[in-house]
Amino acid sequence: MGNVILTGDRPTGKLHLGHFVGSLENRVKLQADPNSEMFIMIADQQALTDNAKNPEKVLASVKEVALDYLAVGLDPSKSTIFIQSQIPQLPELTVYYLNLVTLARLERNPTVKSEIKEKEFGQSIPSGFLVYPVSQAADITAFKATHVPVGDDQQPMIEQAREIVRDFNRIYDTETLVEPDVMLPEKGRGRLVGIDGKGKMSKSLNNGIYLSDSAEEIEKKVMKMYTDPNHIRIEDPGQVEGNVVFTYLDIFDSDKEKVAELKEHYQRGGLGDMTIKRYLNEVLQDYLAPIRARREEFAKDPEYVMNMLKEGSEKAERVAAATLAEVKAAMGINYF
Ligand code: TRP
């Protein structure tokens, strides 16, 4: 039997270059593998766990994320793209799994812990948020996923899903559920630094370059990029480590020789920030122009996009329903 891959994103905004190098690019590769079947979920239900009071952002982002997927070349004829909230079997599985997980275990989940801090819930943690790892286990197991590609911050989620699978199969004496393996991004591609050089590219830090950014926006962002604060005059020797322009050139420029040459020149002195930024701008423009063009084409046809999501969700529901039936049979609650 081939691999089943389940992955997805919380729709809380448009996707940026960090998403691209950390996951989208890899998905495009995986979808070409004839031995793998891939399900890509827009996790709107999960996004609502901390956005219930202002759902507009989540709802609008579902369409944006779908456009980003199509723009990078995810192909609905090869991969199943669907919306989490449209699959009622997922919350149903979640209810059964919740009984297998203690509150203490959820409170110990490192990702949940750090997100609780980050989101400043204080004493008002939504219960749905605290238990989202269990619903994520439902997402994964509903499709009998063998592989789950995620960023390293999500590794504890997969660990928790594996525990649930082992517990379920042991308690109900069954082999229904499949224990998933995590697939982490390649070295250096997992946490793309933002243009400010301060931390991971993220919407909340406002340091991202988006797949939907216009050519002008990209250029503006490149010109603002963090380089080496001690590289003041052109003739000064400059640092390439921690210099965002070079970090991005390493990732996005296929001309490795040229990058090595530029680094050497910069370190020696005599190469100005303006010059390297203009060069990076060209590289990024070449990279993003076809993605943006495809995005604009798909954006002209919202009916096609919604229909694609509907068909994907219908297919996903059929798969999830088959698993749920097995789960209920294993538990003995298939009364009729
Ligand atoms: N938690 C993931 C994120 O924040 C999104 C997600 C939800 C997911 N369910 C999933 C990822 C199942 C992989 C598998 O990006």
Side-chain angles (χ1 to χ4, degrees):
M1 229 181 60
N3 296 332
V4 179
I5 297 166
L6 182 282
T7 184
D9 301 279
R10 269 182 263 191
T12 53
K14 299 175 179 186
L15 301 182
H16 52 57
L17 280 180
H19 295 112
F20 185 76
V21 296
S23 61
L24 297 174
E25 198 183 40
N26 196 34
R27 289 180 202 170
V28 175
K29 262 190 237 154
L30 285 167
Q31 88 177 345
D33 174 5
N35 290 317
S36 296
E37 166 156 38
M38 185 157 58
F39 293 89
I40 305 169
M41 181 178 67
I42 304 181
D44 60 338
Q45 244 170 18
Q46 192 176 101
L48 284 167
T49 61
D50 63 319
N51 288 291
K53 290 176 186 150
N54 39 5
E56 308 78 24
K57 182 174 78 178
V58 174
L59 306 187
S61 303
V62 169
K63 291 176 201 165
E64 298 295 344
V65 169
L67 285 175
D68 286 327
Y69 285 169
L70 293 167
V72 299
L74 291 175
D75 177 350
S77 74
K78 296 184 185 142
S79 307
T80 305
I81 302 173
F82 68 98
I83 307 179
Q84 186 183 31
S85 62
Q86 303 310 296
I87 319 299
Q89 292 79 8
L90 300 178
E92 204 172 332
L93 286 170
T94 304
V95 166
Y96 300 126
Y97 297 168
L98 276 170
N99 301 326
L100 307 179
V101 179
T102 65
L103 197 53
R105 174 65 180 88
L106 285 165
E107 284 167 344
R108 264 202 322 272
N109 182 306
T111 309
V112 172
K113 243 163 113 174
S114 67
E115 278 186 286
I116 284 174
K117 239 190 243 153
E118 202 180 290
K119 295 182 194 292
E120 297 174 354
F121 288 132
Q123 289 305 308
S124 311
I125 305 168
S127 323
F129 184 83
L130 189 66
V131 305
Y132 95 69
V134 181
S135 107
Q136 191 155 334
D139 302 336
I140 293 167
T141 55
F143 299 93
K144 301 198 176 187
T146 56
H147 294 84
V148 185
V150 284
D152 44 9
D153 61 310
Q154 289 284 307
Q155 200 163 1
M157 297 296 155
I158 315 310
E159 202 38 60
Q160 186 142 25
R162 292 168 61 92
E163 280 174 38
I164 291 172
V165 167
R166 289 197 295 267
D167 286 343
F168 184 94
N169 285 350
R170 190 188 66 251
I171 292 166
Y172 298 106
D173 191 20
T174 177
E175 288 175 4
T176 302
L177 299 184
V178 175
E179 214 176 314
D181 283 325
V182 69
M183 272 173 104
L184 296 174
E186 269 175 59
K187 208 169 161 291
R189 300 183 91 80
R191 307 180 124 250
L192 183 69
V193 67
I195 59 167
D196 58 0
K198 282 195 188 132
K200 189 170 120 163
M201 186 176 282
S202 80
K203 191 176 167 223
S204 51
L205 294 176
N206 196 20
N207 62 0
I209 294 178
Y210 289 83
L211 299 177
S212 46
D213 276 351
S214 66
E216 295 73 30
E217 283 167 317
I218 296 167
E219 183 175 4
K220 250 189 22 223
K221 289 177 181 180
V222 171
M223 292 306 156
K224 279 205 314 215
M225 220 170 245
Y226 179 86
T227 55
D228 170 5
N230 298 318
H231 184 244
I232 297 167
R233 286 165 310 172
I234 293 181
E235 55 278 19
D236 291 340
Q239 240 197 313
V240 299
E241 294 80 27
N243 185 323
V244 180
V245 173
F246 285 105
T247 306
Y248 284 28
L249 283 176
D250 274 335
I251 292 177
F252 296 104
D253 191 2
S254 51
D255 190 346
K256 299 299 167 208
E257 255 172 60
K258 165 106 189 184
V259 175
E261 214 178 276
L262 286 173
K263 280 185 183 173
E264 215 225 318
H265 193 177
Y266 193 79
Q267 285 168 319
R268 195 168 68 226
L271 182 58
D273 278 9
M274 258 336 243
T275 311
I276 55 168
K277 284 180 171 175
R278 279 206 202 97
Y279 179 62
L280 175 64
N281 180 51
E282 274 172 42
V283 169
L284 287 183
Q285 297 289 355
D286 284 352
Y287 216 89
L288 291 170
I291 294 176
R292 186 173 55 242
R294 267 202 303 271
R295 203 181 190 286
E296 282 164 7
E297 273 314 298
F298 284 115
K300 283 186 203 148
D301 196 351
E303 213 175 307
Y304 166 82
V305 178
M306 286 321 274
N307 204 41
M308 177 283 284
L309 291 170
K310 181 165 181 276
E311 282 176 13
S313 299
E314 282 163 1
K315 172 162 181 212
E317 180 170 0
R318 286 195 293 277
V319 178
T323 305
L324 178 65
E326 282 182 60
V327 161
K328 289 173 97 170
M331 295 173 72
I333 55 173
N334 53 340
Y335 301 111
F336 313 112

